[in-house]
Amino acid sequence: MLGNLLFLGLWFGAFGSAVGVVYSAFKARQSTHQLEMLRKESNTLQVRSGQYLLEKSTWAAYARVEDIAVNKLKMQVPDSSKTVLVKRQ
C-alpha cells in the first residue's frame, strides 16, 4: 500500500513537472513572438520618424518659405528708408 502511494505521488509529481515545462516553453515562445512583433513595430516607427523629420525640414526650408512669401503672398523686402531700428535697453 505504501509503495503504491509513493508510486502515485512520484507519478503525479513527474506529470506536474512535465506540464510545468510545457507551459513554461509555451509562455517563452509567446513572449519571444511578442518581442519580435514589437521590434518590427519599433523599426517601422523609426523609419516613419525619419521620413517625418525629412518632410519637416523640406517644408521649413528657407528657399521654400521665401518662394511662398514672394510668389503666393506677394510679399517683398521693404526699402531701407522704411526700416526702423529699435534698440533694446
Side-chain angles (χ1 to χ4, degrees):
M1 177 83 170
L2 184 61
N4 286 341
L5 285 176
L6 182 62
F7 174 75
L8 282 176
L10 289 174
W11 189 86
F12 280 118
F15 182 75
S17 176
V19 169
V21 167
V22 169
Y23 179 75
S24 296
F26 172 72
K27 291 303 271 182
R29 285 188 191 110
Q30 268 188 334
S31 296
T32 302
H33 176 71
Q34 185 178 12
L35 177 64
E36 288 303 315
M37 295 301 290
L38 290 173
R39 283 183 178 163
K40 286 180 184 179
E41 184 179 356
S42 173
N43 288 340
T44 301
L45 291 174
Q46 284 180 350
V47 167
R48 275 193 202 165
S49 174
Q51 289 172 341
Y52 288 142
L53 286 174
L54 181 62
E55 185 176 351
K56 178 183 170 186
S57 66
T58 301
W59 282 95
Y62 181 77
R64 182 180 177 280
V65 172
E66 184 180 20
D67 181 56
I68 291 173
V70 171
N71 295 327
K72 286 189 177 180
L73 301 175
K74 306 297 182 207
M75 297 175 85
Q76 55 186 329
V77 178
D79 294 331
S80 59
S81 63
K82 295 181 181 179
T83 304
V84 178
L85 181 63
V86 178
K87 185 175 180 182
R88 185 186 288 187
Q89 294 183 0

